[in-house]
Amino acid sequence: MKNKKLRALLYLTILLLIVFILLNMFSTYLSIKNSVQKSVANQNLVAARSIADSMDMEAYQRFLNNQVKSRDYMDIKAYLEDAREKIGALYVYTIMIDNPTVSKCMITGFSKDHKGDFPIGGACTVPPGQVKQGYEGKSFITGILEDPEYGEYLTVGVPMKNQDGDIIGFLGIDVSAEDINAINGKVLKSSIAILVYNGGFVIMLLVTFFVIQKWYQKELTREVGDTEDTYQSEFQSLFASVRSLRHDFSNHIQVIHGLLKLEENAKALEYLTGLSKEVHSIESMKLDVIHPGLSVLLETKRLSAQNYNIDIEIDVSPKSFNRIKTIDLIKLLSNVIDNAIEATIELPEQERRMNIACKADDEKYTFMVTNTGPMISELDLENIFASGFSTKKAQKGKVRGQGLFIVKDLVNRYDGEVHVQSSEKETTVTIIIPVNGKMD
């Protein structure tokens, strides 16, 4: 069981490592791609402003007043074509934006190899969102546009102003997506070292995490072991003190006898009262139980049951039950016994009975807790070990439905089994832990 979990953890770690590296590389790629696109767009915005500022705005205004292929049209077109060639753009052209949804292409600077010409006032491919920005007098940048006729490109546009500062159009530049991708490829190649470094950093983080986790588990195991050793040692010391007190019991009797002979009745009564409480505590302990933690637990639960006027019987084999860790043994029995006490106190006092049996042989440990109380239905028995399920009424501030879930989980760790049987008269919880079973 443990090896299977270790293998599963290893496979999960490898899978997570691959996923983290791929996500890191993908996020880096997107970041580089977006940065390149933004950088290219900003560079062309600067170029568009420079072209617009150097353009003959008086000639362009005359063209706008008479939108035909006049001398002014041809001069501006030649200027745009020259600018396009110098900056290496796909197209350089002027745009008319007189409404917030559709733009018009006025004069276009094509390459010398381009056949034909774009009609004056033809519909432009600038998206409505950017058209609205232009209509508001702002510069704009589009994403990559897919045009079935002119290919894929990115468009930027800046206002063109006359001598009075009025916007009379926009200067647009189209940048080929191929050019952007080429730049993107060069940047990615130069960033391979960064990608490798990021991947290595992720691996280093995971390795560091598991090293720290392993160290923490070892420290935790050592501390738990030390705590349990101290726990057992303290109880052994307690029982040694109890034996010493019993041996000294005769001395106490002599003191009482002396006080009575001296007619110090009040002092004798005071001494006897204190001694009676001490002796009661000593005698109530089941010192024949070898396991000190189990002995204290049973004594505590016995006193708790007596406080509720429950008639309780406890039967424990003279075994150490050392197959089970003390903390786990306490969890197992305390949860089951607490449930039994809660169920029993729902009955009238004369009907409250409990029986706790802890048996051991060479093959298994058997823990059986029987109590009188309400019958558990078949439906509830099917769900009784589920987390959060409880047959008891909800109480404010009290978490319900975890006791038997914890018991079931602990029993599974020791490769054991747990059964619940309920009738109209009593309910019995039986836990069986194999002595030589595999412990998770």
Side-chain angles (χ1 to χ4, degrees), residues 270-289:
E270 181 182 356
Y271 189 92
L272 186 59
T273 300
L275 183 60
S276 177
K277 293 179 180 179
E278 190 173 25
V279 170
H280 175 73
S281 175
I282 295 169
E283 291 300 324
S284 64
M285 282 280 192
K286 290 191 172 294
L287 298 177
D288 55 333
V289 177

Side-chain angles (χ1 to χ4, degrees), residues 43-159:
Q43 288 178 3
N44 281 275
L45 272 179
V46 174
R49 290 192 186 96
S50 177
I51 294 170
D53 292 340
S54 301
M55 189 171 159
D56 187 348
M57 289 300 170
E58 293 182 359
Y60 188 70
Q61 185 65 65
R62 290 194 298 270
F63 161 74
L64 291 178
N65 295 335
N66 183 24
Q67 299 178 11
V68 296
K69 295 183 178 181
S70 60
R71 180 66 182 175
D72 290 326
Y73 171 88
M74 299 304 297
D75 289 342
I76 294 173
K77 181 177 177 62
Y79 172 77
L80 295 178
E81 289 175 351
D82 181 68
R84 185 211 65 80
E85 187 174 353
K86 288 180 178 178
I87 66 175
L90 189 62
Y91 307 110
V92 177
Y93 52 98
T94 62
I95 306 171
M96 172 66 70
I97 300 179
D98 55 8
N99 65 84
T101 55
V102 180
S103 60
K104 301 174 184 177
C105 186
M106 305 305 292
I107 304 177
T108 305
F110 287 107
S111 66
K112 295 179 180 179
D113 299 331
H114 189 274
K115 295 181 180 179
D117 201 355
F118 198 89
I120 298 173
C124 193
T125 57
V126 177
Q130 282 72 33
V131 172
K132 184 178 179 182
Q133 286 182 291
Y135 186 73
E136 295 171 353
K138 302 175 183 178
S139 300
F140 59 82
I141 299 173
T142 70
I144 300 295
L145 304 176
E146 295 183 6
D147 190 323
E149 183 176 356
Y150 296 101
E152 297 182 352
Y153 52 85
L154 176 148
T155 300
V156 302
V158 297

Side-chain angles (χ1 to χ4, degrees), residues 60 65 114 214 262 306 373 393 405 428:
Y60 188 70
N65 295 335
H114 189 274
K214 287 291 184 183
L262 295 174
Q306 288 179 348
K393 295 180 180 180
F405 173 76
T428 300

Side-chain angles (χ1 to χ4, degrees), residues 177-245:
E178 291 182 0
D179 294 339
I180 296 175
N181 291 334
I183 297 172
N184 189 48
K186 292 179 181 179
V187 174
L188 283 174
K189 286 182 180 179
S190 63
S191 302
I192 289 178
I194 297 176
L195 292 175
V196 172
Y197 171 80
N198 288 340
F201 183 72
V202 173
I203 294 175
M204 183 182 69
L205 283 179
L206 287 175
V207 170
T208 303
F209 169 78
F210 280 106
V211 169
I212 294 175
Q213 185 185 46
K214 287 291 184 183
W215 171 81
Y216 175 77
Q217 287 177 344
K218 288 182 179 179
E219 287 296 309
L220 184 62
T221 301
R222 182 183 61 80
E223 290 179 6
V224 170
D226 293 342
T227 301
E228 186 163 354
D229 290 340
T230 302
Y231 175 79
Q232 296 283 1
S233 176
E234 290 297 326
F235 274 109
Q236 293 293 346
S237 176
L238 171 64
F239 289 135
S241 298
V242 170
R243 295 189 187 97
S244 177
L245 288 172

Side-chain angles (χ1 to χ4, degrees), residues 229-394:
D229 290 340
T230 302
Y231 175 79
Q232 296 283 1
S233 176
E234 290 297 326
F235 274 109
Q236 293 293 346
S237 176
L238 171 64
F239 289 135
S241 298
V242 170
R243 295 189 187 97
S244 177
L245 288 172
R246 293 187 65 179
H247 292 158
D248 292 340
F249 184 72
S250 60
N251 294 330
H252 296 310
I253 296 297
Q254 291 177 8
V255 172
I256 295 171
H257 181 263
L259 290 173
L260 291 174
K261 286 188 70 174
L262 295 174
E263 297 183 354
E264 296 286 348
N265 295 340
K267 290 185 178 180
L269 181 60
E270 181 182 356
Y271 189 92
L272 186 59
T273 300
L275 183 60
S276 177
K277 293 179 180 179
E278 190 173 25
V279 170
H280 175 73
S281 175
I282 295 169
E283 291 300 324
S284 64
M285 282 280 192
K286 290 191 172 294
L287 298 177
D288 55 333
V289 177
I290 296 176
H291 196 293
L294 178 59
S295 177
V296 172
L297 172 70
L298 294 177
E299 175 60 15
T300 302
K301 298 306 180 185
R302 185 186 69 81
L303 293 174
S304 178
Q306 288 179 348
N307 289 337
Y308 289 110
N309 295 316
I310 299 173
D311 184 12
I312 185 169
E313 293 184 6
I314 301 175
D315 185 12
V316 183
S317 297
K319 296 286 186 178
S320 65
F321 298 95
N322 57 6
R323 157 71 180 148
I324 307 176
K325 291 181 180 179
T326 299
I327 189 171
D328 292 338
L329 182 60
I330 300 304
K331 285 182 181 179
L332 281 174
L333 290 179
S334 63
N335 279 293
V336 175
I337 295 173
D338 286 344
N339 284 346
I341 292 175
E342 288 189 28
T344 304
I345 61 177
E346 295 183 19
L347 300 177
E349 291 185 5
Q350 63 273 18
E351 298 179 18
R352 298 177 184 177
R353 291 184 299 276
M354 281 183 59
N355 184 281
I356 302 173
C358 303
K359 300 294 183 180
D361 55 37
D362 294 335
E363 296 180 358
K364 64 183 181 301
Y365 300 146
T366 303
F367 305 99
M368 187 178 296
V369 179
T370 302
N371 65 275
T372 56
M375 179 180 177
I376 303 175
S377 67
E378 291 292 333
L379 180 60
D380 288 344
L381 285 174
E382 293 177 2
N383 300 293
I384 201 166
F385 295 108
S387 177
F389 181 84
S390 178
T391 60
K392 304 178 184 67
K393 295 180 180 180

